[in-house]
Amino acid sequence: MGSLSKLHRYALFLLVGLSGELVCAEPPCDDYNPNNNLYWGDLHVHTRYSLDASTQDTRTTPAQAYAFARGAPLGIQPWVDGVAQRTLQLDRPLDFAAVTDHAELLGEVALCSDPDSFAYGSLYCRTFRDAPRLAFFLFNTSAARGDRLGLCGDDGERCRRAARTPWQDIRAAAEAANDPVGCQFTSFAAYEWTGAGGPLLANLHRNVIFRNAEVPEDLETFVDGDGTVDSLFRALERDCVDSDSGCDALVIPHNSNLSDGLMFPAPTVGELDAGQAQRRRRFENLVEIYQHKGASECAFVPGTSEDELCAFEQLPYNTFSAKFMPLVGGPADADDGFARKVLRDGLTYNDKLGANPFEMGFIGSTDTHLGAAGAVSEIDYAGHGGAGAPAAKERPDGLVDDLEFGPGGLAAVWAPQNRRDDLFDALRRREVYATSGPRITLRVFAGERLEASLCEAADFAAGGYQQGVPMGSVLPDSLAVRIAVAASADPGTMRDPGLDLQRLQIIKGWIDEKGESHEQVYEIAGDPDNGASVDLASCRTSGAGFAQLCAVWEDPDFSSTTHAYYYARAVENPRCRWSQQICIANGVDCSNPSTIGEGLEDCCSESHRPVIQERAVSSPVWHYPGSSTP
Amino acid sequence: MKRINRPWLHFLLIGSALFLLQSTLYPPAKPSVGPLPESRLESLRRQWYAMTGRAPNEAQLSAMINSELDREILFREALELGIYQVDPIVQQRLVRNMRFLKMDQGRDDETLFREALRMELHLGDEVIKRRLVQIMEELLLAQQPPAAPSEAEIQASFEARRDELKRPPRYSVQQVYLARERSEEAQALLARFQREQLSPQAALEYSSPFLPGYRFPNSTPQQLARQFGTAFVVNLERSGAQVGTWVGPVESTYGTHLVWIDAIDPARDAELEEVRTQLLRDLELEKRRAALAEALASVRDQYEVVL
């Protein structure tokens, strides 16, 4: 047995496959598991090809970002004589990643960085190189208004052509990092579509993830389309999924918390028609709810909402414009694009149109602008990439980022093995979930036939698949809804030990007979008052929680005639947020003003929440009355 | 023979002979580089200190000085070739410097650039120097491109790096998990499993439910750590596990584990095909470095290097 290496077997398999009648398929990976393994990844990573990264002196190439994801060290700014002054390395490598540079301005950045380009000496490019902060503002506001810069020519053709070079580099890096033989790492060709809407330029950003190396030569960007995301979907149909080339794509929106409600138009506002709803269903199976710029699961509005856990990593504004110009926007409202409400709107659409445009599962990712894929530890957060602060200049003093930002989350995927098709299929069927960073294991099955003793069964997964459907599914028509949820705590690493779990919850959203939508949170396991706490002066945690939690829950108010969704949330014991760790490391004591050094003022600001409870949020399951799939 | 007897011809021949004689006996002095000014040495020391936290030793300092002098040589070669006159980065940098010095007075880029060259601003700018040195290196490499690594070289590097390329060990284990509140049962259960030589399948009925499962075939320490945490792996490796036996109690983040060892494949050497790409990539880099060093040496020969 030992004489035949894995690679030999692989080669043999190919030969047999090619010469025989059989359609050639790769032999399964070593860890192939029909009941699915858990894989961890980051599907939102920017490198130097993104203007807002390169203007902050990020020099990470796509190849380096993938190497970092696989465990290699990465040098980051500030740079002195070409030598990085900070180094990052993951304690635990990722299983998959996608570099998602902004398609808008890809060409512009390439033109302005290439001394041989005709535009290199233009005013725009000089600004890009000499006054990066100004350039960031000018380029982005210009792109956000849907205009190409003058240097692209009247029809934008020059920038489209120039964008092909970085796009080829990004694709080549994705091909090189992908490891379908060893099954140790999977990478995807991908990019970010950076759209904005409304007078406040509300965030409509989406990442486009391609299944394989079959991808369009030219990227559809916001400035190429008609200003709506529907033009992205139509372009992807035309250039990718309907082109018979084997091309396939997923679209994953993010930061709906900054969308002023425009990312997912409510049934009463920007009404989608049936065609638009179908295109959304075709591409948008997922939404990224945790990343550097806050959480988008749900909003806590004092006085009206009961779920205080929704205050977790909630941004204090509802658009990016409002961050800089507080008068034009305001704090976010539950209607501003938070997933829990969007999913309810989806049910309403489904009732009206027979198609749910927002049937979306959840993932987390980072949105790193340092190329530091998967660097989610609260211990050594290095910042969003300067995150608006001019990190290009020097090592930032004090807090490494704006107070409200954070290290972001991870995407967890249940797939039989670590290969592109397997992961992509799992993403599409939504058998995936989001964490705010920790590697909490979370499994969900649903169905009327689930046995109440499933948690005691030796093999939870085998029973779950036999008796029900996994997270992300649409339930077959049923007389009852039972949901089995099992979670285990992140084992952590030596340097950064994991925390116990505190509680397990189910969140249900539904519409009643009058057509009004509701939501409710159910505690199903664990103990919200387990007494676990964290000492703010040392960040030491105390009090035990649960290594594993499991429960089979039955909806007490189920009616087979209601449209409803259910998802599970596993919540950790409290720990210090990244910002508090830095405040303590710098000896800040808010009762003694002389200890509050430069750049650390925010440690003692009213909006500083020093303690967080990290969490995992499963993709929902849906129940529609009368039929198994709408 | 009349034709040879011309004074102008004698003049030419004798002149040439004298010229040849002179250049053989008294070759023109090579241009000299170095020594580095004390201020530059100091800044090299400081850079080293900033990066490593200690002062450079004699060998390190002399390596830094040599590479600094090499840069100086390449810089001069680049100036000789006039690259600075056509390189857009140099142009932009000089124009920027002029603006910074408030010497632009509304003049256009081209004029500012010419003015900066006239003032020899390009000779003192570190960014321009770095850029020109890089271009020279590329030019040198283009003249003497490194050969592709041969099969023999790949083989040799494979042999030389055997240790570093080692594949990690693989454990095939099965387990019985005891949740935290059951930890006191561990010793007695283990004794019983060992006494009764219980199969892992039969022992499973004593296990608390464990989400990741009970059988972990062919797993590297890293893969086991994903499921059980690092502490488990450290404890398991310390236990001196033997194939076909029960081992324990092994503590993890989650509780206590009694572990049955199906197989242990010790760490092994890599096979060539597993690491060929990696070897090739490193060899190419190495060859590039070597080719550059060789090219640099021949350029250095044309200079008098004063340390």
Side-chain angles (χ1 to χ4, degrees):
Chain A
M1 172 63 227
S3 63
L4 209 58
S5 77
K6 181 156 177 59
L7 207 96
H8 288 136
R9 271 185 284 144
Y10 185 81
L12 201 69
F13 205 93
L14 277 180
L15 282 176
V16 172
L18 287 171
S19 55
E21 294 288 288
L22 285 167
V23 179
C24 166
E26 287 153 358
C29 298
D30 268 354
D31 67 345
Y32 182 89
N33 177 359
N35 286 341
N36 296 322
N37 298 314
L38 181 55
Y39 297 107
W40 294 98
D42 187 344
L43 294 177
H44 195 169
V45 178
H46 293 272
T47 71
R48 67 172 184 192
Y49 285 126
S50 290
L51 181 85
D52 48 353
S54 60
T55 51
Q56 299 179 63
D57 211 16
T58 291
R59 301 185 186 179
T60 312
T61 62
Q64 284 172 318
Y66 285 126
F68 177 80
R70 300 194 64 169
L74 174 69
I76 58 166
Q77 63 268 54
W79 298 88
V80 176
D81 280 348
V83 179
Q85 302 297 297
R86 291 185 291 173
T87 305
L88 293 176
Q89 187 167 20
L90 292 179
D91 283 353
R92 289 179 282 190
L94 295 178
D95 301 311
F96 64 92
V99 165
T100 52
D101 280 309
H102 296 289
E104 296 70 20
L105 309 173
L106 252 189
E108 286 82 341
V109 174
L111 284 176
C112 289
S113 310
D114 174 10
D116 292 334
S117 92
F118 61 89
Y120 186 84
S122 71
L123 176 64
Y124 277 116
C125 289
R126 287 208 309 272
T127 315
F128 163 70
R129 291 188 306 271
D130 299 344
R133 305 241 18 220
L134 177 64
F136 175 67
F137 188 74
L138 284 179
F139 278 36
N140 276 321
T141 47
S142 152
R145 288 203 201 93
D147 302 326
R148 286 272 189 190
L149 297 168
L151 62 91
C152 298
D154 289 339
D155 55 358
E157 186 53 30
R158 283 192 227 158
C159 285
R160 259 195 299 282
R161 256 182 285 128
R164 285 182 192 160
T165 310
W167 180 224
Q168 275 158 7
D169 186 34
I170 290 165
R171 286 153 59 190
E175 287 313 301
N178 196 42
D179 175 25
V181 181
C183 307
Q184 296 299 305
F185 189 78
T186 298
S187 46
F188 293 98
Y191 73 95
E192 177 166 351
W193 179 89
T194 319
L200 295 181
L201 305 176
N203 174 76
L204 303 178
H205 300 185
R206 267 106 170 151
N207 287 322
V208 180
I209 312 282
F210 293 101
R211 179 189 282 270
N212 48 41
E214 285 302 331
V215 299
E217 281 308 311
D218 289 323
L219 298 178
E220 174 72 13
T221 73
F222 178 60
V223 284
D224 297 322
D226 62 9
T228 68
V229 69
D230 201 48
S231 63
L232 169 65
F233 299 147
R234 290 194 306 266
L236 285 173
E237 288 187 330
R238 183 190 67 223
D239 302 334
C240 180
V241 292
D242 291 346
S243 70
D244 259 353
S245 61
C247 182
D248 197 357
L250 284 165
V251 176
I252 308 179
H254 63 89
N255 285 116
S256 58
N257 58 343
L258 291 170
S259 75
D260 199 15
L262 295 181
M263 182 172 268
F264 304 112
T268 47
V269 190
E271 200 84 38
L272 300 173
D273 66 34
Q276 289 166 335
Q278 284 299 351
R279 277 187 290 278
R280 291 220 178 209
R281 289 179 58 75
R282 188 171 192 189
F283 291 102
E284 289 197 345
N285 311 108
L286 297 168
V287 54
E288 177 187 306
I289 58 168
Y290 295 123
Q291 62 124 281
H292 282 184
K293 294 192 284 282
S296 303
E297 183 213 340
C298 51
F300 177 68
V301 184
T304 60
S305 45
E306 288 168 16
D307 188 356
E308 290 186 13
L309 287 169
C310 291
F312 173 73
E313 296 299 299
Q314 186 174 355
L315 294 184
Y317 36 78
N318 63 352
T319 60
F320 230 53
S321 302
K323 172 177 167 69
F324 301 109
M325 298 171 279
L327 289 180
V328 302
D333 191 327
D335 289 347
D336 282 343
F338 291 88
R340 203 180 279 181
K341 172 64 166 49
V342 171
L343 259 50
R344 275 161 54 190
D345 288 343
L347 300 176
T348 308
Y349 271 117
N350 191 51
D351 200 17
K352 282 184 175 178
L353 301 174
N356 181 349
F358 306 143
E359 207 178 77
M360 296 180 294
F362 301 140
I363 63 161
S365 279
T366 62
D367 197 7
T368 172
H369 279 57
L370 301 172
V376 291
S377 172
E378 300 284 325
I379 291 182
D380 53 5
Y381 179 43
H384 180 54
K393 288 284 168 262
E394 60 210 19
R395 191 192 303 260
D397 284 327
L399 296 177
V400 293
D401 209 336
D402 291 356
L403 185 64
E404 67 273 21
F405 294 161
L410 292 177
V413 171
W414 289 107
Q417 56 186 352
N418 190 4
R419 283 207 186 122
R420 277 184 178 166
D421 279 336
D422 299 270
L423 298 184
F424 194 91
D425 287 343
L427 289 164
R428 175 149 286 160
R429 70 172 183 270
R430 302 176 290 243
E431 198 170 350
V432 302
Y433 62 94
T435 86
S436 59
R439 299 194 181 188
I440 300 165
T441 304
L442 181 61
R443 274 207 119 142
V444 174
F445 294 99
E448 58 184 340
R449 295 190 300 114
L450 285 186
E451 288 169 11
S453 61
L454 192 55
C455 286
E456 286 79 57
D459 196 336
F460 181 84
Y465 283 114
Q466 228 163 43
Q467 301 158 23
V469 292
M471 63 172 75
S473 307
V474 173
L475 282 162
D477 196 19
S478 41
L479 298 170
V481 166
R482 277 188 177 180
I483 300 180
V485 186
S488 53
D490 178 3
T493 63
M494 289 303 204
R495 189 183 70 105
D496 190 3
L499 274 186
D500 277 350
L501 297 174
Q502 185 188 64
R503 60 216 275 205
L504 210 50
Q505 303 171 310
I506 295 238
I507 289 100
K508 176 189 179 184
W510 74 96
I511 44 179
D512 64 20
E513 300 77 24
K514 296 192 207 103
E516 283 171 23
S517 74
H518 306 273
E519 65 189 44
Q520 189 162 351
V521 180
Y522 298 87
E523 298 286 335
I524 66 164
D527 178 9
D529 306 311
N530 66 349
S533 66
V534 56
D535 175 17
L536 278 187
S538 67
C539 281
R540 214 166 295 134
T541 56
S542 61
F546 302 89
Q548 303 191 98
L549 284 172
C550 186
V552 180
W553 174 85
E554 179 162 347
D555 181 359
D557 309 310
F558 177 74
S559 150
S560 60
T561 58
T562 55
H563 297 254
Y565 67 80
Y566 305 84
Y567 65 84
R569 187 165 67 178
V571 183
E572 273 188 353
N573 278 346
R575 73 165 84 206
C576 271
R577 196 173 182 260
W578 67 269
S579 46
Q580 182 66 8
Q581 314 232 18
I582 294 178
C583 298
I584 287 178
N586 285 282
V588 172
D589 169 6
C590 291
S591 62
N592 177 0
S594 69
T595 62
I596 306 169
E598 196 170 330
L600 295 161
E601 298 82 1
D602 277 344
C603 287
C604 304
S605 79
E606 224 169 277
S607 53
H608 186 207
R609 288 186 293 261
V611 174
I612 51 170
Q613 284 184 279
E614 303 237 48
R615 62 215 43 211
V617 177
S618 82
S619 286
V621 291
W622 286 265
H623 174 269
Y624 303 116
S627 64
S628 55
T629 39
Chain B
M1 283 292 109
K2 207 176 177 192
R3 228 176 260 171
I4 295 175
N5 208 0
R6 300 274 165 88
W8 64 266
L9 190 62
H10 297 163
F11 180 79
L12 261 187
L13 283 172
I14 295 166
S16 305
L18 279 174
F19 181 76
L20 267 173
L21 192 68
Q22 191 207 10
S23 55
T24 316
L25 289 177
Y26 308 101
K30 288 181 181 175
S32 79
V33 288
L36 294 176
E38 186 50 39
S39 61
R40 186 66 195 146
L41 284 176
E42 190 46 42
S43 92
L44 287 178
R45 283 197 199 96
R46 260 206 318 276
Q47 270 177 29
W48 185 270
Y49 188 84
M51 279 188 294
T52 63
R54 57 182 100 80
N57 63 28
E58 207 53 38
Q60 287 160 339
L61 188 65
S62 104
M64 271 192 289
I65 292 172
N66 281 333
S67 97
E68 193 59 25
L69 290 174
D70 283 348
R71 282 178 31 129
E72 183 63 35
I73 290 172
L74 289 181
F75 182 51
R76 286 207 209 162
E77 293 280 310
L79 290 178
E80 193 89 345
L81 292 175
I83 297 171
Y84 60 96
Q85 290 173 337
V86 293
D87 183 63
I89 286 202
V90 173
Q91 177 166 359
Q92 287 305 317
R93 178 78 185 175
L94 286 177
V95 170
R96 212 189 77 160
N97 290 354
M98 290 296 278
R99 295 227 160 85
F100 180 76
L101 295 169
K102 302 262 187 288
M103 301 180 75
D104 47 336
Q105 293 149 357
R107 288 177 290 179
D108 67 10
D109 285 6
E110 190 57 31
T111 317
L112 286 177
F113 174 55
R114 292 290 147 210
E115 179 71 9
L117 287 185
R118 206 184 53 75
M119 294 165 65
E120 301 197 322
L121 290 185
H122 61 296
L123 298 182
D125 187 289
E126 182 55 29
V127 171
I128 290 175
K129 185 169 179 179
R130 202 184 308 151
R131 168 77 181 169
L132 292 181
V133 167
Q134 273 171 8
I135 294 177
M136 277 310 296
E137 287 178 348
E138 290 306 319
L139 284 175
L140 288 177
L141 278 172
Q143 284 165 7
Q144 299 175 309
S150 70
E151 195 55 40
E153 285 170 314
I154 294 173
Q155 191 67 42
S157 134
F158 176 58
E159 294 298 332
R161 296 174 61 182
R162 191 169 287 275
D163 281 349
E164 170 209 340
L165 296 170
K166 263 205 155 83
R167 306 283 105 174
R170 298 216 170 229
Y171 292 91
S172 295
V173 299
Q174 304 190 50
Q175 63 129 0
V176 165
Y177 164 65
L178 303 176
R180 287 174 187 167
E181 61 274 14
R182 290 181 59 199
S183 62
E184 311 91 81
E185 298 174 37
Q187 284 296 355
L189 263 184
L190 178 68
R192 177 152 171 218
F193 290 179
Q194 287 169 336
R195 192 173 59 242
E196 297 177 10
Q197 297 188 338
L198 223 55
S199 75
Q201 200 55 43
L204 209 53
E205 66 172 290
Y206 298 97
S207 181
S208 309
F210 191 69
L211 193 52
Y214 310 92
R215 271 192 80 211
F216 300 87
N218 229 3
S219 309
T220 62
Q222 201 190 359
Q223 284 167 332
L224 286 179
R226 290 171 67 116
Q227 310 289 357
F228 298 95
T230 329
F232 173 89
V233 178
V234 172
N235 292 336
L236 182 68
E237 281 175 339
R238 274 199 201 130
S239 70
Q242 294 293 315
V243 173
T245 64
W246 283 101
V247 175
V250 183
E251 301 293 328
S252 81
T253 326
Y254 300 109
T256 311
H257 308 259
L258 306 178
V259 183
W260 172 264
I261 312 289
D262 276 322
I264 300 178
D265 291 330
R268 65 167 174 85
D269 291 339
E271 290 173 48
L272 178 57
E273 291 315 307
E274 289 174 320
V275 292
R276 178 180 286 277
T277 340
Q278 187 188 349
L279 293 172
L280 204 58
R281 195 186 52 214
D282 295 351
L283 280 173
E284 276 165 0
L285 265 178
E286 209 175 287
K287 288 199 162 262
R288 193 188 135 92
R289 256 198 305 272
L292 189 59
E294 198 179 314
L296 244 171
S298 65
V299 179
R300 202 185 297 124
D301 276 349
Q302 297 157 27
Y303 283 80
E304 184 75 38
V305 181
V306 186
L307 290 170

